[in-house]
Amino acid sequence: EVQLVESGGHLVQPGGSLRLSCAASGFTFSSYSMNWVRQAPGKGLEWLSYISTSGGTIYYADSVKGRFTISRDNAKNSLYLQTNSLRAEDTAVYYCVRRSSDWNFDYWGQGTLVTVSS
Amino acid sequence: DIQMTQSPSTLSASVGDRVTITCRASQSISSWLAWYQQKPGKAPKLLIYKASSLESGVPSRFSGSGSGTEFTLTISSLQPDDFATYYCQQYNFYSGTFGQGTKVEFK
C-alpha cells in the first residue's frame, strides 16, 4: 500500500524557517517524481514545487521561489521542503504528492499544518 | 499562467440527482485535466485524469468529458458519500493549476 506521511509542521514566527519531511513507503520511491502542494485554511489547492526522480530537475511556483527548497533522499525514501522567510500567507496544510508515469497527482499524504503567526 | 475556473462554486443536490460541474481553462490544455474529490480534513482524492479516464477504484457513476478549454465532471446518481468539494486541475509534467472548487451540499 502506498503511504506518504508528512511531518515537521508547527507554529512559527514570521521570518522563521521550517523543514517539512515526507516519508514514503509501499512503492519504489526513486522511480517517481514528487511534488509539494498546499492548502490555506478554507481555501483551494496551490502547487508549490516539483522534483524529478534523481533530484536533477526542480521547479517552483513563483509564490515560493527563492524562499523554499525541495529535495529528496532516495536512500531514505524521503522528500523534503525547506521553508525560509515564512510569511503569514504561507499558513497552510502542506501535502506531499506522488506523480504517476502519466503525470497524475495520484497519491497524497495526509498533510502537515504550518502556522505562521507572532 | 493558465487559469482554471469552475462553476458553480456551490451546488445543492439530493441523493439520486445527476450532478454536473464545469471547468474552463484560460487557454487550451488538450486533455490534461484531472478531477479530485476532497472531504473536510482529508487530502484530495484523484477521480478522473486525462479529462475522461477513471482512476482505479473510483465508482463508475463518476465520469469526465471535454477537451481544449471546456470540461465537465458528472456524477450520474449522487450518493451520500459524494457530498464533498470537487476540484479540477490542469497539469503538465511538473506542475498543476487548480480550480477554486465546487462544494456539493445537501439540498
Side-chain angles (χ1 to χ4, degrees):
Chain A
E1 179 194 3
V2 172
Q3 281 200 316
L4 298 167
V5 180
E6 301 93 336
S7 60
H10 60 82
L11 175 64
V12 62
Q13 291 190 338
S17 299
L18 279 178
R19 189 193 198 203
L20 308 183
S21 299
C22 171
S25 60
F27 65 102
T28 304
F29 179 71
S30 59
S31 296
Y32 290 85
S33 57
M34 299 293 294
N35 284 242
W36 287 97
V37 174
R38 71 182 178 186
Q39 186 170 37
K43 302 297 185 182
L45 299 159
E46 179 187 15
W47 170 82
L48 294 181
S49 187
Y50 163 95
I51 187 166
S52 62
T53 54
S54 65
T57 300
I58 286 173
Y59 293 93
Y60 297 100
D62 287 344
S63 59
V64 302
K65 197 175 297 181
R67 300 189 299 125
F68 291 10
T69 303
I70 191 171
S71 62
R72 66 190 295 162
D73 185 335
N74 287 340
K76 294 183 177 180
N77 292 334
S78 293
L79 176 72
Y80 306 101
L81 187 68
Q82 177 67 42
T83 67
N84 297 330
S85 303
L86 285 163
R87 308 163 179 166
E89 55 264 36
D90 294 318
T91 294
V93 173
Y94 286 70
Y95 294 104
C96 162
V97 187
R98 192 184 83 165
R99 301 295 297 272
S100 75
S101 57
D102 290 331
W103 300 351
N104 303 325
F105 290 55
D106 64 349
Y107 282 94
W108 298 58
Q110 87 289 349
T112 187
L113 176 62
V114 173
T115 302
V116 185
S117 175
S118 54
Chain B
D1 291 356
I2 299 173
Q3 308 301 319
M4 306 300 294
T5 304
Q6 288 181 235
S7 60
S9 296
T10 306
L11 188 160
S12 298
S14 301
V15 173
D17 284 354
R18 182 180 181 87
V19 167
T20 299
I21 299 169
T22 298
C23 179
R24 290 185 173 86
S26 59
Q27 63 190 73
S28 178
I29 58 171
S30 185
S31 295
W32 297 108
L33 192 283
W35 290 97
Y36 299 85
Q37 177 193 68
Q38 188 178 34
K39 296 181 179 179
K42 301 294 186 181
K45 173 187 174 183
L46 178 64
L47 301 175
I48 302 284
Y49 61 95
K50 285 186 184 174
S52 61
S53 295
L54 193 67
E55 175 71 347
S56 176
V58 174
S60 59
R61 63 181 179 273
F62 291 93
S63 64
S65 64
S67 67
T69 62
E70 294 223 5
F71 302 86
T72 299
L73 173 70
T74 299
I75 309 172
S76 60
S77 178
L78 197 66
Q79 299 302 299
D81 191 48
D82 301 338
F83 291 92
T85 299
Y86 293 84
Y87 293 93
C88 66
Q89 179 209 31
Q90 69 84 20
Y91 60 99
N92 56 31
F93 81 91
Y94 68 93
S95 73
T97 307
F98 297 87
Q100 81 278 16
T102 295
K103 184 177 182 181
V104 177
E105 60 181 23
F106 289 101
K107 183 182 286 185

